[in-house]
Structures are given as structure tokens and as C-alpha cells.
Amino acid sequence: MSALLYAATIFSSAFLLFLVQPIVSKHILPWFGGSAAVWATCLVFFQSALLLGYAYADRITRWLPPRRQPWPHAALLLISLLMLPVLADPSWRPVGDEDPSLHILLLLSATVGLPYLMLSTTGPLIQAWAAHTGHGTKVYRLFSLSNLASLLALLCYPFLIEPWLSLQSQSLVWSFIYACFVGLCIASGIALTRNSDQTLVEQTAVEQDQPPTLGRQIVWLSLAALSAWLLLGVTNHITQNIAAIPFLWILPLTIYLLSFVLCFESERWYRRNWWLPPFVVLMAIAAYGLQDNKLGLNIVWAIPLYCGTLLVATMFLHGELAALRPGTRHLTRFYLALSLGGAVGGALVGLLAPRVLPAYYELGIGFVLTGLLAAFVMRDKKITTAIGLLLALFCAMMLWRQIHTDLNSAHLLTRNFYGRLLVRDLPTSTPGVTVRRLLHGAILHGEEYLSGPNHNKPTTYYGISSGIGRLLAVPDNIGHRIVGVVGLGTGTLAAYGEDGDRFRFYDIDPAVIQIAKTEFGYLRNSHASIETVLGDARLNLEREVPNGFDVLVIDAFSGDSIPVHLITREALALYRKHMKPDGVIAFHVSNRYLSLAPVVEKLSEDAGMHAMLIADSQPAAPLLNTDWILVAATREALMKPSLLRVAKKPPIIEGLQPWTDDSNNLFKVLK
């Protein structure tokens, strides 16, 4: 009976542990501009909290005898109930000049910190209690169970929970289950005290375990750190450099958790002789792909390659980790080393890499370090040591070639919290004419012809045949327009500015503003008065007095990390406050993987406004296919002949409800 109680407690804690992460992260995501880096920073917090929880479990099992351990733990569990529900108060929203990483860490600490910490203690602590009640080395299967619960939570959230429950409802349901978990955990402590007279034989047996050496603990830490490193490195690479596909980040995290489940369930899933050959081959091919765009950036080959590489690498790392696990007497120290390694690997990739590396080089560095660690772990045989060293050397050569190629081909390369920005000059089919492009990861943010007939003309998504081009090219009141633009890019829309116009650009990334001003000419060559505003556009608009925009452009939906807070009922109501009565709000909804036009159509219908779709499907170079939806309070505002000639009715998705800040779901609008 106690075994079932321990299993239920560990399963519920791990399920809640992973379920709270997307709930809290999604809640604060709009406050920080919807950047993928928000998730990486949240992951660093959760890994650090897990480390503190494991450290607590290690200390309490060493400082207190088993009979006394449950009572202080029960007290902390009851105190943690006072922090429910776990969603942050709006007072935590950033003003705009804070360090986003530090602000996120402080926010999470003050809201979800204690409940998450108590959940983090459960795995090692309950396993230690189970070992003291006669379950022996079988307790390590409970670690496999906890990772299975985490995997189920990961998969349930986007497909079964998010589509049906608002954030507030999710928080309330989670809080109720957490209260049940507290009851289970206290019951587990009571079971330990009642069975304490059965622990003497077990304790006598485990006393023979030799304490792990410092070197052994460093190996544990290193294996865990590199698995977390590769998880984040692969996630960054496939979501930022290969394809901006929504929910793609779930795939590497699923692989990471699955490898833990298999390696700690039993020894049958990992045999070094089975996994070493594919580990070496795929690592080498993946390292080669980092400097070969035909392989490393081709979506057909690259996503299976890097996810497959992550699978064999984590199976190797976690398999070796499971093989080195100690006796149950030292299991809390083992888990402490694992959590410390995860926190170190996550911090190096999530916090340090964006500040010290100009591009996504952490994956290549992780390959080199993994090869070196493999050589050390397999040092019992000369051949395997040599294989590991040769793999590390090959990966280092490919990394050097990747860096060398990037630096030689880039006009400018920089990276910060919001991602990598690449400015590249490319020749065109016209002799002597060069085009300069700005890319944010795999997303083109604009381009400018440095000479020739297309110089200083709108290109890419903003040409004269696009929805926004048709709206701005023939102004009704020349010299008096006020235009707001959410999403600066290269500042291409400034090319439509006339004398007396005022263009106000909002962008959350300071590097984008700097690049648009210094590397591209649209802003400085515009006839309009140009203003740039740093920070999240919605937060800035909330603080500003009504601007009286003739046109407000919402252009922030090209990537995978859609800033949903810019396309909700509350956001549209805010935009209307800043519009003139006959003003037009232009949503750029071009996206390869998401059908956002029905979302805007539903919002406009809900607000009693009028919507028009302008799809430019066969533009002439240098323009791209675009979808723009124009929304206005009056039908007359959309009655321009240039619009009516090509206007379409926006598509409808059956059952789609207006998105709100509290209830929205990207899964329903996947193409």
C-alpha cells in the first residue's frame, strides 16, 4: 500500500511540476513581447528551483532521522498553500527599462517559487522514504515514473488543456490538484513514521555503500549539464535557424524526457554497444550540418537530423548516468548532482550564451564538450576513448568552419535576449546592385536595395501591391497622416512617408532599432517625421495618451513565438482608443504555419468592426506573397478603389471564438 502511495505522490508532483511551467510562462509571455527567450529564462528558473528542491531533500535526509523528516516538510507544504493561485499580479508587468531576464526570475520567485520548490523536493525525498521502508534499489524506477508524468503533462497541455480552459481556470484547477498533492505528500510522511520500525534491516544493508567520490559526483553533474545543454541548443537551432514552426519546441523536450524514462526504467533500454555507433555517426553529421546550409538548414533533413541526434545523445548521456547511480543511501546526493548539472547547462545556454555569443554557436560547443565527456566516460577501453576524442576534434573543426563562414559572409552579426540578428549583403541579378537583408533567426525582417531602380522603395511584405501598400501609397490627406507601426524590422514602411507625416515605430528589441537606424536607409531617407519607441508595443500604448492614428500597422506575427497579446479582444479595444474615427488597423497575417486571418475576422466581428482581406499571391520581385487584413470602425474607411479591386472576405474557422488575454489557442489555427 505504501508503494502505491509513494508512486501516486511522485506522479502527481511531477505532473504538476511540468504543468505549471506553461501556465505561468504563457501568463507572463505577453509582458515580455512574446520572445522565445522568455521560455528559456523560465526554464532556467525552473531548473534552479529544482536544484534548490533537491538540495533541500539531500540536507533533510542527512540532518534528520527518517521519523522526524515529514514534520518540517509538512509545515512548508501547508505554508505553500497560501501562495495559491500561482498567476502573477499585473503589478509585476515590466515598465520597459528593466533587464528582462532578472525581472522574470524575480517575478517567478515571488509567485510560484515556494509551491514549485516543494514539488521539486518530492522526487528524491519520497524515493529516500521508500528506500527506508524496504523498497531498496527499485526506487530508481520511481524516477522513471516521474519523468513519464512530466512527459504526459507536456503533451496534455497544448492539446487537451489549453484549448478548453482559460488561464484563470487552468490556474484554479492546478491549485486544486496541488492541494490534493499536499495531502498525498503528508500521507506519505505518515506512512514513513508508521513503518519506521521496518527500516533497520534496510539501513544496515545500505550502510555498506561507499560514499561517492568528488570525481564521481562531477561526472554525474557533467552528464546532466550536457544533456540540458544539448536540449536547449537543439531547440534554439531548429526553432530559430531552421523553421519557425509553432509547438516545434515540444519535440526536443519530449525526446529529452523520454530518454530519462527509458534509461531509469530498467537496464534493458540502454546498452553502450547499441547506442555508441549511432551516437558517433549522428553527432558527426549534425556537426557537419552546422556549417553546411544545404543540410543543416533544410527543413526536410535538418529537423529529423537534429532531433535524432538529440535522442541518441541523451540516451548515451542518461544511460551512462543511470549506470553510475549509487546505492539508495546516496540517492539524494545523486539527484542533487543531476539538478545542479541541469541548472548549469540551462544557465550557460539560456542566460550566458545570448550575452557572449554573436550567434547560435552553443550547439556546436555542446557537441565538442559531449565528445570530450564521452572519451572520459568510456576511458576503460582505448578504442572508445579514441573514438570520443576524434568525435570532439571533428566537431571542433566544424564549429570553427561555421564561425568562420558566418563572420566572412555577414555584414553584421549580433545577438541578445530576443534572438540573433544577421545583416547580410547579397548580389542580385542586376550587375553592380546589392540587396541588404535583415534576418531574425530564420525569419526575413526586411531588405533594402543599396542602389539601382529599387533603391529606397518598399520591398518584401510591404510593396505597393500589398494590403498595406495599397492603403498607404495613395493617402487621402497628404502631409497630415499619423501612422503607428508595431514591429520595426528594417523600417521599410517609412518609405511611404510624405512631408508632414508622422510615423511612430514600436519595437521591443533595442538591437533592431539600432540596426534600422544605422544599417538601413528607410528611416533616415523618409520624408516623414520618424519616431521610435522601445519596449512592448501594447504596454507602451496603454501608457500613452491617444495618438489619433490614421493607420496602425500590427506586424509581429511572422515567427513561431506569436505575441498573442497583440491579437486579442483587449488588444483591439486598446488599438481603437488610439485611432481616428475613420482610421484603419492593418494586421500582417502572412504565416506559413498559422491561419491568423480568421482570428482577426472573429475579433473584428466581435467588436462590431469591418474587415477586408488583401492577399497578394503573385507579386513581382522584389516583393513576397502577403496576407493583410484591414480592420476599420466604418465601412467607408475601406472603400478605396485600390482596395476594393482585390478585396476578399476573410476565411472563417468553425467554432473559433474571439481570442482574449485569458483564452487563446494557437493549436486551433494551425494550417
Side-chain angles (χ1 to χ4, degrees), residues 33-35 443 445 461-462 485-489 506-508 536-538 553-567 575 586-591 594 596 628:
S35 168
I443 301 298
H445 271 15
Y461 318 105
Y462 314 104
V485 182
V486 176
L488 172 61
Y506 298 85
D507 205 283
I508 198 169
D536 178 74
R538 181 168 162 180
V553 181
I554 313 298
D555 181 21
F557 308 121
S558 298
D560 65 324
S561 299
I562 298 297
V564 172
H565 67 302
L566 297 179
I567 193 172
Y575 302 152
F587 290 86
H588 184 198
V589 293
S590 305
N591 192 292
L594 296 171
L596 296 175
W628 288 84

Side-chain angles (χ1 to χ4, degrees), residues 569 572 600-609 658-659:
R569 175 187 290 160
L572 183 58
V600 179
E601 160 67 14
K602 180 61 68 173
L603 288 175
S604 65
E605 178 186 342
D606 178 68
M609 302 179 73
W659 282 8

